[in-house]
């Protein structure tokens, strides 16, 4: 190993620092590392806040899409339902008329017996 007076290159997270072996340099390097950790924690908090904002934006967009889809579905389905109800009403009226005719025929047949 080299002498304690010689500079040793330490690398941490892409940051290179020249240090000399000694108490004050180790303390300063530790403070640098602690500063980097604090900065990383701050960036992580900011990243998490941004994630929450994006999640809220996504939720809002999904609600808007659901509202639009419901409106479009109603605009599409309501005319179909009205048409089907109209057809059903006509079919019921025809069936009632046929039932009345059959009832009259039955009455006539019973009178003839």
């Amino acid at each position: 190993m080299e002498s304690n007076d010689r500079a040793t290159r330490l690398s941490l997270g892409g940051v290179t620092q020249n240090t000399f072996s000694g108490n004050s340099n180790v303390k300063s390097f530790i403070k640098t590392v602690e500063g980097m950790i604090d900065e990383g924690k701050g960036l992580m908090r900011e990243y998490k806040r941004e994630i929450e904002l994006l999640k809220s934006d996504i939720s809002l967009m999904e609600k808007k899409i659901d509202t639009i889809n419901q409106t479009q579905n109603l605009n599409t389905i309501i005319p179909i339902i009205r048409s089907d109800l109209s057809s059903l009403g006509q079919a019921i009226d025809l069936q009632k008329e046929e039932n009345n005719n059959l009832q009259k025929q039955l009455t006539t047949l019973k009178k003839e017996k």
Side-chain angles (χ1 to χ4, degrees):
M1 257 197 143
E2 300 286 329
S3 160
N4 284 344
D5 294 334
R6 298 220 173 184
T8 309
R9 293 183 67 75
L10 296 175
S11 178
L12 179 64
V15 176
T16 303
Q17 170 116 15
N18 287 327
T19 60
F20 295 96
S21 58
N23 227 5
S24 67
N25 289 325
V26 170
K27 287 181 182 179
S28 104
F29 182 71
I30 289 173
K31 287 186 186 246
T32 302
V33 170
E34 287 173 343
M36 292 169 65
I37 290 171
D38 289 340
E39 184 180 346
K41 286 179 181 178
L43 290 171
M44 186 60 76
R45 281 190 298 273
E46 184 180 325
Y47 174 73
K48 287 180 179 180
R49 276 193 301 268
E50 190 172 332
I51 285 174
E52 290 305 313
L53 286 173
L54 291 173
K55 284 181 180 179
S56 129
D57 286 348
I58 288 172
S59 176
L60 182 63
M61 286 185 228
E62 286 175 339
K63 286 178 184 176
K64 285 182 180 179
I65 288 172
D66 287 343
T67 301
I68 290 170
N69 282 341
Q70 287 175 357
T71 302
Q72 287 177 345
N73 285 343
L74 287 176
N75 290 340
T76 302
I77 292 173
I78 288 176
I80 294 171
I81 291 173
R82 285 184 180 148
S83 172
D84 288 348
L85 282 174
S86 175
S87 297
L88 178 62
Q90 290 173 355
I92 289 172
D93 290 341
L94 286 174
Q95 187 63 49
K96 282 181 182 178
E97 187 178 323
E98 184 178 347
N99 289 350
N100 286 335
N101 288 336
L102 289 173
Q103 187 65 40
K104 286 178 185 175
Q105 287 177 2
L106 277 173
T107 305
T108 305
L109 288 174
K110 284 183 180 179
K111 286 181 184 177
E112 290 178 1
K113 278 189 170 183

